[in-house]
Structures are given as C-alpha cells and as structure tokens.
Amino acid sequence: MHLGNLIFPKERSVNKIGHALHVLDPNFKRITFSDKIKTILHDLEYKKPAICQSMYIFKQPYIGAKVGPHQDGTFLFNEPLNIMGVWIALEDATLENGCLSFIPKSHTRNYVTLSYTQTHENNTCFLEPIERRFIRNPNKEEFDNGNLLMFTGPESQPEESEFVLCPIKAGDAILIHGQVVHKSEQNTSPITRQIYTFHVIETNNSTYSKENW
Ligand SMILES: O=C(O)CCC(=O)C(=O)O
C-alpha cells in the first residue's frame, strides 16, 4: 500500500494536462493555429473549424495507462457528427511504449440504439454514428448528488485481432476520424511516449451538443 504517496517523481507521474493548452499556452496555440494545420483543415473541406479541446498526454514509462477502445465522438459530439483529432507524436510512438491502434473502416459503421439524448423522443430506435455517448447526467436529482456525467451504454469489447497497430515517428501526426475505434496499450517500457493532441469540430451547419461533458 502506498498511502497516497507517489511511487515515481512528480514529473514521471503526471498522466495528462488538458484541456485548453491551445488557449492558455502560446507555444501550443502557435502549433494548433499554424498555417500547416489550417491547410490540412482546408483540404479536408472544413468550412468553419473550431478547436474544442487540447491535451498533452505523457504515457509515462512503466506506468502510462492504457486507453481503452473508444470513438472520439463518444466524448465530443456534434450534429451532424463532424469531429477530428489531430494527434502529434512528440517522441517516437512504438509497439513498446503504447502507440495507437485502430480498427480499419470502423468509422463507416452505424449503431442501432434506443434514444438517449434529451433532444430525442423516448423509446425510439436511431441509427447513430457512435456506439455510446458520455453526457451530462439528465437526471437532476442524480446530478445534484454529484453524479454529473454518465455513459449511455457499456464499453464495447472488440476483438484484439480487429486492431492494427500504428507506430509513428516523432514529429509525425495522425488524423483521427471522430467515429474510428482506437485505443492504446499501457506503457510498460522504460521509454517515454509524449504526444500533443487537439480536437477539431465543424461549426458550419453543425451543432455542438449541449449534452457534452
Ligand atoms: O494518446 C493516447 O494514448 C490515446 C489518445 C486518444 O485516444 C485520443 O486522443 O482520442
């Protein structure tokens, strides 16, 4: 038992820093709003892109936690769904230190769900672009009791064999479609895997969900 004491020094223990680096820190602001990024978004036909969050993820040696299979649209939802992660490797992301892996073509899937948002009628089936959402708890009593956020369904458990590992070099970037299922493993190696990531949403004719956390 560690009685709340860190087992590694502070600078080797922090998991991530978020979610407004692109607003608060001049260096991250410069990268996020650089001409390179603007050109990519222009080429992808974004009309009025906005950045809704940013994170520095450390994935520390030995203890960097795994990130389970998810779609980014679960956490950041707009209608129609048009969201993309820009994931920039600041160090080599390898098979050993917890690179990303993806399920090819999972961004084209639709999911049949019972309605779960405040904007939909109850007990209606919908074809949704994502499997579940992470929303503000619509139950006022639960919310007032501190149960602020909830998932609308269980975590899916895709087969390991569905995933393709994507190691990349420091300085490379991966563009993550808001529907694609992806994950990363725990970093059990002695090598750090630091990345900077931010999420882009289309604000032209697309509404950022009020139910987002
Ligand atoms: O950096 C990681 O390990 C996971 C990041 C991720 O899944 C995301 O930003 O959506």
Side-chain angles (χ1 to χ4, degrees):
M1 190 151 70
H2 293 292
L3 301 172
N5 298 324
L6 296 176
I7 54 174
F8 287 100
K10 248 191 304 199
E11 65 280 9
R12 285 279 169 185
S13 300
V14 62
N15 177 42
K16 76 163 104 159
I17 297 176
H19 288 93
L21 295 163
H22 65 291
V23 178
L24 301 174
D25 184 287
N27 288 318
F28 290 106
K29 191 172 190 171
R30 187 169 47 77
I31 300 298
T32 311
F33 296 96
S34 64
D35 286 344
K36 265 190 189 168
I37 298 294
K38 285 180 186 161
T39 303
I40 291 170
L41 298 184
H42 180 263
D43 289 351
L44 292 174
E45 298 182 354
Y46 274 86
K47 301 277 179 295
K48 219 174 150 199
I51 311 298
C52 59
Q53 71 166 24
S54 51
M55 294 181 277
Y56 194 105
I57 302 178
F58 289 85
K59 195 75 115 178
Q60 300 280 9
Y62 304 116
I63 55 168
K66 76 170 190 180
V67 176
H70 67 280
Q71 299 167 288
D72 289 346
T74 290
F75 300 94
L76 305 164
F77 191 74
N78 58 359
E79 283 178 293
L81 188 74
N82 187 345
I83 162 166
M84 183 180 72
V86 179
W87 192 94
I88 302 170
L90 303 175
E91 300 174 314
D92 292 354
T94 66
L95 307 190
E96 290 74 36
N97 68 4
C99 65
L100 293 177
S101 57
F102 294 86
I103 300 183
K105 297 201 174 72
S106 53
H107 67 291
T108 60
R109 292 178 185 167
N110 279 304
Y111 301 86
V112 179
T113 58
L114 275 182
S115 67
Y116 44 66
T117 66
Q118 290 156 5
T119 47
H120 293 157
E121 296 293 316
N122 280 338
N123 301 324
T124 313
C125 271
F126 284 95
L127 263 191
E128 300 280 356
I130 52 159
E131 191 169 27
R132 63 176 187 159
R133 286 185 53 195
F134 187 57
I135 57 170
R136 288 167 191 248
N137 192 340
N139 180 317
K140 186 170 169 356
E141 199 179 323
E142 286 178 14
F143 189 91
D144 290 344
N145 283 331
N147 232 334
L148 307 180
L149 300 165
M150 57 175 278
F151 284 103
T152 57
E155 186 177 24
S156 67
Q157 304 289 341
E159 292 296 323
E160 196 51 47
S161 57
E162 292 185 77
F163 287 91
V164 174
L165 286 154
C166 289
I168 64 167
K169 290 283 176 202
D172 287 349
I174 296 179
L175 304 179
I176 305 177
H177 189 285
Q179 282 169 265
V180 75
V181 178
H182 59 289
K183 65 174 178 135
S184 68
E185 298 307 322
Q186 187 181 344
N187 182 8
T188 51
S189 83
I191 301 155
T192 66
R193 195 231 64 180
Q194 300 188 23
I195 65 103
Y196 173 59
T197 184
F198 57 88
H199 286 86
V200 182
I201 51 170
E202 177 60 88
T203 65
N204 186 53
N205 294 329
S206 191
T207 310
Y208 192 67
S209 173
K210 286 192 171 47
E211 292 147 351
N212 284 335
W213 67 281

